[in-house]
């Protein structure tokens, strides 16, 4: 055998062999966001600004659009007589999202559908469950209670990881889930005592929405990595198929006629608000993705958690509802759970000590103080 086929040359050839797998930040990037060299969000070239300005623009975008999104959502459901039509609002929202996705897809060079239709049918079903159940739950719960539940997606993710994948979690993750669970129970009990429109059905609906939301992220990420699909393609096909699901369901249960009749009597406060509600939610996602790309998940979670806290505060300011200090204490307990979860996910990257290390440091400090006192 010739030397050119020897192991040394084979190893040299292997050095030039590489397989490129897109990272999660690349495959989930919005079409609003271009490459790292020229990072654009809604036409704003963030690459031309310094780091502090980039952070300020992204944070302002997240707060502005998502706060408007939450305000418009609660405003729509505060309209007298609208609460039974949560699924119809989701239908309208899916229609607008499909339209936005179609427009964005036309602005891209590659318009091919890469992800199989069967995968989109699964994603669409989960998306319908997430958004439809979440919107419908507002007919039974206060908006702050719904936001608190949305903060606790870790709980169904961990339960699914234990029973489906056999995962094991560290002390920080378990502590985070425990804090979130206790905070949720405390907040829900407080809401059941002071809120006149509290209904356990709302808790069931938002819990099911959380389970669907926990599953959809994994399915989307896997599909986009495997098939290298774009975010605009994902939005267009998943929401348009979901639109068909909801439309069929509303036809089947006879819920379409009453909803159309009600909204036709109040077109501005229903379809008008729903358009801006959908638009602000769509734009807010672009700034969240930009924040992840520029500053990472830790900073992004911190910003979005602050946004959710501000959403709850504004909800009490702009919409009259009963208040109790139990909301504050239970909300702080949920925030502690979020902090522990973020800490657990980033302690290795940031070289932070584990909870066991912190415990040993505290015990060591106590021993040193006792020895110094004895001396």
């Amino acid at each position: 055998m010739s030397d050119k086929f020897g192991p040394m040359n084979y190893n040299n050839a292997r050095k030039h062999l590489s397989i490129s797998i897109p990272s999660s930040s690349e495959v989930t990037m919005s079409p609003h966001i271009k490459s790292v060299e020229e990072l654009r969000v809604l036409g704003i070239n963030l690459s031309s600004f310094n780091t502090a300005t980039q952070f300020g623009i992204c944070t302002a975008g997240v707060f502005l659009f998502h706060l408007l999104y939450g305000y418009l959502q609660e405003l729509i459901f505060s309209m007298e007589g609208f609460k039974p039509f949560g699924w119809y609002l989701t239908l309208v929202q899916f229609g607008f999202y499909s339209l936005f996705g179609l427009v964005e897809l036309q602005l891209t060079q590659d318009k091919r559908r890469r992800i199989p239709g069967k995968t989109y049918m699964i994603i669409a079903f989960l998306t319908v469950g997430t958004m439809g159940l979440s919107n419908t739950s507002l007919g039974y719960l206060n908006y702050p209670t719904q936001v608190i539940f949305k903060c606790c997606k870790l709980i169904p993710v961990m339960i699914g990881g234990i029973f489906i994948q056999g995962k094991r979690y560290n002390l920080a993750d378990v502590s985070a889930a425990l804090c979130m669970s206790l905070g949720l129970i405390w907040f829900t009990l407080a809401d059941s005592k002071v809120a006149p429109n509290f209904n356990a059905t709302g808790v069931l609906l938002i819990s099911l929405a959380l389970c669907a939301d926990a599953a959809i992220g994994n399915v989307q990420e896997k599909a986009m990595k495997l098939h290298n699909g774009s975010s605009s393609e994902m939005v267009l096909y998943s929401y348009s198929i979901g639109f068909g699901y909801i439309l069929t369901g509303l036809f089947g249960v006879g819920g379409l006629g009453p909803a159309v009749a009600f909204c036709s009597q109040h077109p501005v406060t229903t379809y008008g608000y729903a358009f801006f509600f959908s638009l602000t939610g769509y734009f807010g996602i672009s700034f969240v993705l930009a924040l992840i790309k520029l500053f990472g998940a830790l900073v992004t979670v911190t910003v979005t958690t602050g946004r959710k806290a501000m959403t709850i505060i504004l909800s009490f300011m702009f919409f009259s509802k009963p208040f109790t200090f139990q909301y504050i204490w239970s909300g702080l307990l949920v925030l502690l759970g979020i902090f522990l979860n973020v800490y657990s996910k980033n302690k290795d990257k940031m070289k932070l000590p584990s909870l066991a290390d912190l415990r040993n440091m505290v015990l060591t400090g106590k021993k040193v103080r006792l020895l110094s006192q004895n001396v």
Side-chain angles (χ1 to χ4, degrees), residues 5 20 41 53 96 107 186 192 202 236 283 287 295 316:
F5 296 107
S20 298
V41 183
T53 306
F96 282 130
L107 297 177
W186 197 2
S192 65
L236 173 61
F283 286 166
F287 281 101
F295 300 99
F316 280 105

Side-chain angles (χ1 to χ4, degrees), residues 92-312:
V92 175
Q93 187 178 5
F94 271 54
F96 282 130
Y97 274 32
S98 301
L99 180 63
F100 300 152
L102 179 61
V103 171
E104 282 197 336
L105 194 63
Q106 296 305 312
L107 297 177
T108 60
Q109 294 181 351
D110 190 358
K111 301 179 177 60
R112 294 176 296 170
R113 178 172 63 83
R114 297 177 178 272
I115 300 175
K118 291 183 179 179
T119 304
Y120 275 128
M121 294 179 71
I122 298 173
I123 294 173
F125 179 79
L126 293 173
T127 307
V128 167
T130 299
M131 300 180 66
L133 293 171
S134 179
N135 285 338
T136 307
S137 69
L138 283 177
Y140 304 92
L141 295 174
N142 277 338
Y143 185 75
T145 306
Q146 189 214 49
V147 175
I148 285 290
F149 268 86
K150 285 184 176 181
C151 291
C152 300
K153 188 166 63 175
L154 170 68
I155 297 173
V157 170
M158 285 186 63
I159 294 174
I162 293 171
F163 289 101
I164 298 175
Q165 303 183 45
K167 286 186 177 181
R168 292 185 177 182
Y169 295 95
N170 57 35
L171 179 60
D173 285 328
V174 174
S175 301
L178 184 61
C179 287
M180 290 181 183
S181 300
L182 293 176
L184 276 179
I185 293 171
W186 197 2
F187 202 99
T188 305
L189 288 175
D191 199 39
S192 65
K193 292 179 180 178
V194 301
N197 64 331
F198 178 84
N199 192 314
T201 304
V203 176
L204 176 62
L205 291 174
I206 193 63
S207 299
L208 292 174
L210 271 184
C211 294
D213 192 27
I216 192 173
N218 294 324
V219 178
Q220 284 179 328
E221 182 179 0
K222 182 178 179 181
M224 297 181 80
K225 280 185 177 180
L226 185 62
H227 304 285
N228 197 24
S230 66
S231 183
S232 57
E233 175 195 331
M234 176 68 68
V235 169
L236 173 61
Y237 289 100
S238 60
Y239 283 98
S240 58
I241 294 173
F243 181 89
Y245 285 163
I246 301 174
L247 186 63
T248 303
L250 288 175
F251 264 123
V253 299
L256 189 62
V260 172
F262 178 86
C263 293
S264 62
Q265 296 175 359
H266 314 276
V268 176
T269 52
T270 53
Y271 296 116
Y273 287 169
F275 171 78
F276 289 107
F277 162 68
S278 304
L279 189 66
T280 52
Y282 197 77
F283 286 166
I285 294 172
S286 297
F287 281 101
V288 169
L289 292 172
L291 203 60
I292 293 173
K293 184 69 176 178
L294 290 170
F295 300 99
L298 176 62
V299 174
T300 304
V301 169
T302 304
V303 172
T304 54
T305 301
R307 190 274 304 172
K308 289 175 182 176
M310 183 62 70
T311 300
I312 294 175

